[in-house]
Amino acid sequence: MDDERIEEYLSKYNIPKRRNLTPLIITLATLASCLLWVIVSPPQIAPWWDCHIGFQTQNMDARIRLMDSCLQSADLDDAERAAYHYKRGNAYAVTGRDDQALEDFNTAIRLQRTFANAYYNRGRIYRDRNQYAKAVQDYNAAIRHNP
């Protein structure tokens, strides 16, 4: 049956619509699998949790230290390493440490050439430094990689 016929049938016979429980089921299954994963292997999960969830702290110095420790992990692929450099670069930028932020954004871009947000944030620093040609190049790269 197509959607129109179903709607017509439901209204004709006063049958209440069922709620779509799919998002709730998916959420509960995800939470259950995460909980099981934590129970089964807590020593292995702790660093992952700190690095992926813990960066949300509003204390930028704590965030920088956390990203430093996350970057010490030997089992990171280039995309993960780029993400941690990007996050640390953002924390440096917020605290006014633009040189360190540029260094981290450069590293993130070197590791992942299509990292649009890293190009954009590096462009913001260039703009603030009145290096408009570099800023425009980075903004264009950000648009090219994330239209």
Side-chain angles (χ1 to χ4, degrees):
M1 281 184 142
D2 62 357
D3 289 342
E4 284 182 24
R5 290 182 62 204
I6 292 172
E7 291 292 327
E8 182 182 318
Y9 180 83
L10 291 175
S11 63
K12 182 178 178 181
Y13 296 102
N14 292 326
I15 299 172
K17 294 181 186 177
R18 288 187 181 168
R19 292 187 180 188
N20 184 0
L21 297 178
T22 304
L24 177 63
I25 292 168
I26 291 171
T27 302
L28 289 175
T30 303
L31 288 173
S33 66
C34 287
L35 182 60
L36 180 62
W37 191 29
V38 169
I39 291 169
V40 171
S41 58
Q44 293 84 8
I45 195 68
W48 179 90
W49 183 261
D50 288 344
C51 293
H52 287 78
I53 304 300
F55 76 90
Q56 295 174 1
T57 178
Q58 296 302 310
N59 180 333
M60 292 301 133
D61 289 326
R63 187 180 296 190
I64 290 167
R65 286 191 305 274
L66 179 59
M67 292 302 107
D68 287 342
S69 68
C70 293
L71 284 165
Q72 299 304 313
S73 177
D75 60 342
L76 297 175
D77 63 21
D78 283 349
E80 291 171 319
R81 197 168 295 284
Y84 293 139
H85 278 285
Y86 169 75
K87 291 172 187 177
R88 188 173 67 181
N90 286 336
Y92 280 136
V94 167
T95 58
R97 295 179 263 183
D98 289 345
D99 290 332
Q100 291 101 325
L102 270 178
E103 190 176 314
D104 271 338
F105 293 143
N106 288 335
T107 302
I109 291 167
R110 182 178 49 75
L111 292 169
Q112 190 175 356
R113 302 303 283 172
T114 60
F115 202 156
N117 289 341
Y119 281 107
Y120 176 78
N121 286 354
R122 187 175 73 175
R124 290 178 60 185
I125 292 173
Y126 286 143
R127 181 202 62 202
D128 292 345
R129 292 180 169 191
N130 299 324
Q131 296 176 329
Y132 299 116
K134 288 182 176 181
V136 168
Q137 280 182 324
D138 278 352
Y139 291 149
N140 286 334
I143 291 168
R144 184 172 54 254
H145 296 301
N146 187 15

